[in-house]
Amino acid sequence: QLATSLDDIYDQFTNRLLQLAKLSETELRICYLLKIKVPPAEIADILCKSKSAITLARRRMYEKLTATRGKAEQLDELIQEL
Protein backbone atom coordinates (compact mmCIF):
# COMPACT_ATOMS: atom_id res chain seq x y z
CA GLN A 1 0.00 0.00 0.00
CA LEU A 2 2.85 2.37 0.78
CA ALA A 3 4.28 1.92 -2.72
CA THR A 4 0.92 2.66 -4.33
CA SER A 5 0.41 5.76 -2.22
CA LEU A 6 3.92 7.04 -2.94
CA ASP A 7 3.46 6.43 -6.67
CA ASP A 8 0.21 8.41 -6.60
CA ILE A 9 1.66 11.29 -4.60
CA TYR A 10 5.14 11.45 -6.17
CA ASP A 11 4.35 10.77 -9.84
CA GLN A 12 5.36 7.12 -10.27
CA PHE A 13 8.21 7.22 -7.74
CA THR A 14 8.85 3.46 -8.00
CA ASN A 15 9.20 3.53 -11.78
CA ARG A 16 11.58 6.50 -11.70
CA LEU A 17 13.64 4.81 -9.01
CA LEU A 18 13.83 1.50 -10.87
CA GLN A 19 14.92 3.29 -14.06
CA LEU A 20 18.16 4.15 -12.24
CA ALA A 21 18.93 0.57 -11.16
CA LYS A 22 17.33 -2.74 -10.28
CA LEU A 23 16.64 -2.86 -6.54
CA SER A 24 15.72 -5.73 -4.25
CA GLU A 25 12.48 -5.75 -2.31
CA THR A 26 14.32 -4.76 0.88
CA GLU A 27 16.11 -1.93 -0.92
CA LEU A 28 12.77 -0.68 -2.24
CA ARG A 29 11.29 -0.76 1.26
CA ILE A 30 14.20 1.29 2.58
CA CYS A 31 13.69 3.83 -0.20
CA TYR A 32 9.96 4.05 0.48
CA LEU A 33 10.57 4.66 4.16
CA LEU A 34 13.25 7.25 3.40
CA LYS A 35 10.84 9.01 1.04
CA ILE A 36 8.35 9.50 3.88
CA LYS A 37 11.24 10.69 6.08
CA VAL A 38 11.44 7.78 8.49
CA PRO A 39 14.80 8.04 10.30
CA PRO A 40 17.32 5.24 9.61
CA ALA A 41 17.16 3.99 13.22
CA GLU A 42 13.40 3.51 12.88
CA ILE A 43 13.84 1.85 9.48
CA ALA A 44 16.15 -0.62 11.20
CA ASP A 45 13.46 -1.37 13.78
CA ILE A 46 10.71 -1.70 11.16
CA LEU A 47 12.76 -4.07 9.00
CA CYS A 48 14.26 -5.97 11.97
CA LYS A 49 17.81 -5.05 10.94
CA SER A 50 20.63 -3.33 12.77
CA LYS A 51 21.16 0.39 12.26
CA SER A 52 24.60 -0.35 10.79
CA ALA A 53 23.03 -2.76 8.26
CA ILE A 54 20.64 -0.02 7.13
CA THR A 55 23.48 2.50 6.87
CA LEU A 56 25.53 0.07 4.79
CA ALA A 57 22.53 -0.69 2.57
CA ARG A 58 21.93 3.03 2.02
CA ARG A 59 25.56 3.60 1.04
CA ARG A 60 25.51 0.64 -1.36
CA MET A 61 22.23 1.77 -2.90
CA TYR A 62 23.66 5.24 -3.50
CA GLU A 63 26.55 3.65 -5.36
CA LYS A 64 24.18 1.38 -7.27
CA LEU A 65 21.88 4.24 -8.30
CA THR A 66 24.56 6.81 -9.17
CA ALA A 67 27.60 4.68 -10.11
CA THR A 68 29.68 6.83 -7.74
CA ARG A 69 30.92 6.31 -4.21
CA GLY A 70 29.11 8.24 -1.58
CA LYS A 71 27.69 8.42 1.89
CA ALA A 72 24.43 6.99 3.18
CA GLU A 73 23.09 10.52 3.70
CA GLN A 74 23.53 11.18 -0.02
CA LEU A 75 21.03 8.43 -0.77
CA ASP A 76 18.55 10.13 1.57
CA GLU A 77 18.96 13.37 -0.40
CA LEU A 78 18.66 11.56 -3.74
CA ILE A 79 15.43 9.85 -2.65
CA GLN A 80 13.93 13.16 -1.51
CA GLU A 81 14.77 14.74 -4.89
CA LEU A 82 13.10 11.96 -6.91
Side-chain angles (χ1 to χ4, degrees), residues 18-62:
L18 292 176
Q19 286 176 355
L20 298 174
K22 184 177 179 181
L23 298 175
S24 71
E25 196 63 36
T26 299
E27 290 171 330
L28 279 172
R29 286 183 181 136
I30 292 170
C31 291
Y32 294 149
L33 293 168
L34 289 172
K35 188 66 174 174
I36 61 171
K37 299 184 179 182
V38 175
E42 288 184 36
I43 293 173
D45 289 342
I46 291 167
L47 298 180
C48 300
K49 307 270 186 196
S50 68
K51 187 175 181 225
S52 61
I54 298 300
T55 299
L56 180 60
R58 288 165 48 227
R59 190 172 61 232
R60 287 182 178 162
M61 276 190 285
Y62 181 79

Side-chain angles (χ1 to χ4, degrees), residues 2-26:
L2 180 57
T4 302
S5 295
L6 284 172
D7 286 342
D8 289 344
I9 295 167
Y10 296 106
D11 190 32
Q12 298 304 309
F13 173 73
T14 303
N15 290 337
R16 291 185 290 127
L17 185 60
L18 292 176
Q19 286 176 355
L20 298 174
K22 184 177 179 181
L23 298 175
S24 71
E25 196 63 36
T26 299

